[in-house]
Amino acid sequence: MPEESPIAAAAPLVALVGPTASGKSTLAVWLAEHISGEIVVCDSTQVYRGFDVGTAKATPVERQRVPHHLIDILDPEQVFTAGEYRQRAIAVLDDLRSRGRVPILTAGTGLYLRALLEGLSDAPLRSEELRARLQRRAARNKPGYLHRLLSKRDPEAAGRIAPADTPKLIRAIEVSVLAGKPITELHRAGRKKLEGFRPIKIGLNPPRTALYERIERRTHEMIESGWLQEVRSLVARGIPATAKAFSFIGYRELREHLEGKRELPVTIAAIQRATRRYAKRQLTWFRKEQGVHWLEGFGDDPAIAQAALREVQPAISSATAGS
């Protein structure tokens, strides 16, 4: 009996990509109900608990209809990397495969998707204790201390990183200490792609004018749905402005509004403008993604949903026939 090919044996994995407000979440729920799927959130904002309205998380009703994974897994002040996302996502994918469920990624953060599918260099995770120690040493020494330290440990990396770029300097030193080898050596070692899954990438590309109109309308709807009250509650809980989650579009602006720095109409306009720019950056990123089947519309359009299903069904049928 001939051996089964790796491609035939790979389980299907659907990745929905596209800009914010393009309807990825709605399409994901609809697809999941048609192909026995579960949703794996691939978004750097939706992993944080308490930041709900402005990150456009799936509604409680949608979460009841279809299980959602990697949502609400962090406290607002925690830092989360693409590498950590990859580790958690692989564990979820393995569980779904063992249960015969199809993973459907709702990818708003391109770096997370790339880290999951293409892999990252085998660098160690962050060490907050080491980082704090390096920060203290830098404060006690003359300017350029971190750059001089890195020059001794990894001259090649030091040659590429500006002396004033503290975050990159600290990360390079951190890797060299924890891994016992320079970060440049780790990067040269290559990446390990996701194994055991066959990605099916579907992109949503609504008309730009319609997308921008939806972004403006959705911003007002979020305010009406309690976004400002949510931010007020987060501030009252003592979550500092320096928390990672308060750097997200809208949360930063609404907090400044509550601090009296701008009127609400000006704040809303600033959020809409920042969101439009973010959507443009997302499209630029995903346009470089290989193997995406683009659909020219919104995910909540029934015709687009049917087109996505037609794209996915052959891989699902093939996997079912081979099981």
Side-chain angles (χ1 to χ4, degrees):
M1 181 176 180
E3 291 185 4
E4 188 176 23
S5 72
I7 293 178
L13 178 155
V14 179
L16 303 180
V17 307
T20 185
S22 61
K24 293 188 298 294
S25 298
T26 301
L27 177 58
V29 171
W30 187 87
L31 277 177
E33 292 177 326
H34 285 75
I35 62 173
S36 298
E38 295 186 16
I39 295 169
V40 183
V41 173
C42 186
D43 188 287
S44 62
T45 67
Q46 296 187 5
V47 295
Y48 288 95
R49 286 185 284 268
F51 287 69
D52 302 328
V53 179
T55 60
K57 289 177 183 173
T59 66
V61 172
E62 288 173 327
R63 295 194 220 183
Q64 287 180 352
R65 287 169 58 187
V66 176
H68 285 63
H69 304 272
L70 299 183
I71 191 170
D72 293 338
I73 59 175
L74 299 176
D75 291 327
E77 294 179 74
Q78 289 182 267
V79 177
F80 198 54
T81 67
E84 290 167 322
Y85 173 82
R86 186 176 201 266
Q87 288 183 346
R88 295 208 187 199
I90 288 175
V92 171
L93 294 181
D94 288 343
D95 171 63
L96 295 182
R97 181 170 53 186
S98 71
R99 295 190 284 111
R101 308 292 287 179
V102 179
I104 302 176
L105 294 171
T106 50
T109 302
L111 179 60
Y112 280 17
L113 179 65
R114 184 172 297 173
L116 175 60
L117 300 184
E118 301 298 325
L120 295 168
S121 58
D122 192 20
L125 300 181
R126 293 164 56 104
S127 167
E128 299 303 331
E129 188 275 333
L130 176 57
R131 285 170 170 260
R133 191 163 70 244
L134 290 170
Q135 291 277 16
R136 290 194 297 270
R137 288 184 182 178
R140 290 197 303 264
N141 286 274
K142 295 179 181 179
Y145 168 79
L146 292 175
H147 196 263
R148 292 192 297 273
L149 180 60
L150 181 61
S151 297
K152 296 177 182 178
R153 305 189 67 96
D154 188 351
E156 186 176 345
R160 294 200 313 265
I161 301 175
D165 196 340
T166 299
K168 288 185 180 179
L169 290 170
I170 287 180
R171 178 55 179 164
I173 296 170
E174 176 185 49
V175 169
S176 70
V177 171
L178 298 179
K181 61 182 69 175
I183 193 171
T184 48
E185 184 178 333
L186 288 175
H187 287 170
R188 280 194 293 267
R191 302 175 177 183
K192 184 178 181 181
K193 291 188 176 183
L194 180 68
E195 297 178 346
F197 291 91
R198 178 189 172 194
I200 307 155
K201 302 175 187 176
I202 297 173
L204 296 176
N205 185 33
R208 191 66 58 91
T209 299
L211 177 64
Y212 287 172
E213 289 174 352
R214 182 172 289 203
I215 286 172
E216 295 193 3
R217 185 169 62 251
R218 190 177 72 161
T219 303
H220 284 291
E221 292 171 350
M222 286 176 168
I223 295 294
E224 294 169 0
S225 298
W227 194 2
L228 185 59
Q229 288 78 6
E230 180 180 274
V231 173
R232 185 179 287 112
S233 174
L234 292 166
V235 173
R237 283 169 47 192
I239 298 173
T242 55
K244 172 63 177 177
F246 260 126
S247 69
F248 301 152
I249 293 173
Y251 285 94
R252 176 178 58 249
E253 290 85 351
L254 288 173
R255 182 169 187 139
E256 290 174 351
H257 163 69
L258 292 175
E259 294 169 348
K261 295 180 179 179
R262 59 164 68 94
E263 296 297 324
L264 186 58
V266 177
T267 300
I268 292 174
I271 294 171
Q272 292 168 331
R273 182 168 58 253
T275 306
R276 290 194 300 270
R277 290 172 177 170
Y278 177 57
K280 186 176 181 180
R281 292 196 302 272
Q282 287 177 300
L283 277 169
T284 299
W285 177 289
F286 289 127
R287 279 296 185 187
K288 298 176 183 178
E289 188 74 30
Q290 297 295 313
V292 177
H293 179 79
W294 287 97
L295 301 175
E296 306 298 317
F298 291 97
D300 54 4
D301 181 339
I304 294 296
Q306 290 292 340
L309 183 60
R310 287 194 297 271
E311 186 69 19
V312 170
Q313 275 180 327
I316 305 299
S317 300
S318 175
T320 303
S323 62

